[in-house]
Amino acid sequence: MWTFKDIFTNYSIFLGRRFYLKEKLKFLLHLKKDFEEMKFQVKTTQSKQEFLGEKVLYHNLYAGNFQKAKVVLATYYDTPAYELGNKDYQPFNGGESKFSAFYKLIFPISILLLAIVVFYYLFYPQIIQTGVWSFKGIIGLIFLFFAFLLIKHYRNGMPMRKNYIRNTSSILSMILYAKKVGKNSDIAFAFLDGGTTTHHGRTMLREILSNKKVKVIYLDSIGSKGDVHIFTDNTSNLNLAEVYEHQKDKSLSEFGDILITSGEYKENRVVVHTKEFEEDIEHVEGKLNHLVDVLEQIISKLK
């Protein structure tokens, strides 16, 4: 069986960026294999939704027996686009902010403007003199074609390269917990798509659980620096070091029954510093094992 170093290397380095569809599918393939090695039932589902004027495919992965599960651990697996100058993130947001949408447009718009300027000054005068099908005209059309491909590739923004905090850390903690409890437990696991954009994967999960009495524990950026913060309807008095419980606002119920994150608590919200990361793998393992212990205590009180 693999070690922590193995899963950290796989999911935080080789599969650390899950922005494009091919990257997501490659991640799901490896995740499916790892859960099947642990003898869990594994199922993937697909749904289509229109986003920014195009049909987008969303894929969720479910592990465990959802018919018998009393608790579902859930988190999103897709990774975000780069936001210029932004180092902080607020977990459990219902959707993208206007600033996030704006930041995503900066790069493709910059490419478009640069392409127009280059074409106008470098190719257009020659095309006027010799025609579109001249050598310079054909080169100009090829230039525009490749500029269009580049814009299309980055139409949803420039993907973040380092994504341990948001949200590989939550994925790793769920894998470690699954490894600890085993396939015969009444715990199931849900890895959701669209967590950094439309949250459509969460909608897909709700549809599956609509007729089931099951508690959902939702994780977001659980491995970031700072204390662990738990949002719930009923505080459970865990009395654990560096773990704080808060009354969950009604607006957060759509995420789950219990929400867990790590970060700095101020003004009734948690702020995650996404650029901060503890490079020492032993410290990372210790932090995540502590979070697994927290999950174990929370779940024992739910059952």
Side-chain angles (χ1 to χ4, degrees), residues 261-279:
T261 188
S262 294
E264 180 183 358
Y265 188 77
K266 56 183 181 181
E267 298 178 358
N268 298 320
R269 65 191 183 103
V270 176
V271 176
V272 173
H273 303 296
T274 58
K275 300 295 177 66
E276 294 182 1
F277 171 56
E278 178 58 69
E279 299 289 347

Side-chain angles (χ1 to χ4, degrees), residues 99-119:
F99 287 109
S100 295
F102 172 74
Y103 284 132
K104 285 184 177 182
L105 292 174
I106 289 178
F107 192 67
I109 288 176
S110 299
I111 296 173
L112 176 62
L113 294 176
L114 180 62
I116 291 173
V117 170
V118 171
F119 182 81

Side-chain angles (χ1 to χ4, degrees), residues 171-202:
I171 294 168
L172 291 176
S173 65
M174 286 171 59
I175 293 173
L176 290 175
Y177 187 77
K179 185 178 178 181
K180 187 172 185 177
V181 299
K183 69 180 181 68
N184 294 321
S185 69
D186 48 9
I187 313 298
F189 302 84
F191 298 87
L192 313 177
D193 200 354
T196 63
T197 53
T198 64
H199 295 280
H200 187 65
R202 204 175 66 233

Side-chain angles (χ1 to χ4, degrees), residues 82-288:
Y82 181 76
E83 294 188 4
L84 188 63
N86 190 27
K87 297 181 180 180
D88 296 338
Y89 162 69
Q90 184 179 346
F92 317 125
N93 275 326
E96 284 189 296
S97 68
K98 293 181 179 179
F99 287 109
S100 295
F102 172 74
Y103 284 132
K104 285 184 177 182
L105 292 174
I106 289 178
F107 192 67
I109 288 176
S110 299
I111 296 173
L112 176 62
L113 294 176
L114 180 62
I116 291 173
V117 170
V118 171
F119 182 81
Y120 182 78
Y121 285 102
L122 192 60
F123 297 105
Y124 184 69
Q126 191 70 24
I127 291 174
I128 291 297
Q129 292 179 7
T130 60
V132 175
W133 301 113
S134 64
F135 176 77
K136 203 72 173 275
I138 293 173
I139 296 298
L141 292 176
I142 293 173
F143 169 78
L144 288 179
F145 175 73
F146 280 103
F148 170 76
L149 290 180
L150 199 59
I151 291 168
K152 185 178 180 181
H153 187 69
Y154 291 110
R155 65 190 181 279
N156 294 324
M158 176 78 76
M160 286 279 288
R161 188 168 60 88
K162 295 182 179 180
N163 302 289
Y164 168 76
I165 292 175
R166 188 184 177 202
N167 189 33
T168 302
S169 58
S170 299
I171 294 168
L172 291 176
S173 65
M174 286 171 59
I175 293 173
L176 290 175
Y177 187 77
K179 185 178 178 181
K180 187 172 185 177
V181 299
K183 69 180 181 68
N184 294 321
S185 69
D186 48 9
I187 313 298
F189 302 84
F191 298 87
L192 313 177
D193 200 354
T196 63
T197 53
T198 64
H199 295 280
H200 187 65
R202 204 175 66 233
T203 301
M204 294 164 63
L205 176 63
R206 282 202 303 266
E207 291 173 355
I208 287 181
L209 300 178
S210 59
N211 297 319
K212 297 180 176 63
K213 292 183 178 179
V214 60
K215 296 291 186 181
V216 176
I217 299 177
Y218 188 83
L219 312 180
D220 190 350
S221 307
I222 198 170
S224 65
K225 287 187 176 180
D227 300 318
V228 178
H229 296 277
I230 301 171
F231 295 84
T232 177
D233 292 327
N234 301 299
T235 56
S236 54
N237 298 317
L238 294 173
N239 295 321
L240 292 171
E242 300 178 343
V243 176
Y244 297 89
E245 296 183 70
H246 311 278
Q247 190 70 27
K248 186 182 68 179
D249 188 271
K250 289 183 179 180
S251 63
L252 300 179
S253 296
E254 62 185 72
F255 285 89
D257 299 285
I258 296 176
L259 317 180
I260 307 177
T261 188
S262 294
E264 180 183 358
Y265 188 77
K266 56 183 181 181
E267 298 178 358
N268 298 320
R269 65 191 183 103
V270 176
V271 176
V272 173
H273 303 296
T274 58
K275 300 295 177 66
E276 294 182 1
F277 171 56
E278 178 58 69
E279 299 289 347
D280 190 332
I281 193 168
E282 292 183 357
H283 289 165
V284 173
E285 184 177 10
K287 168 92 172 179
L288 293 184

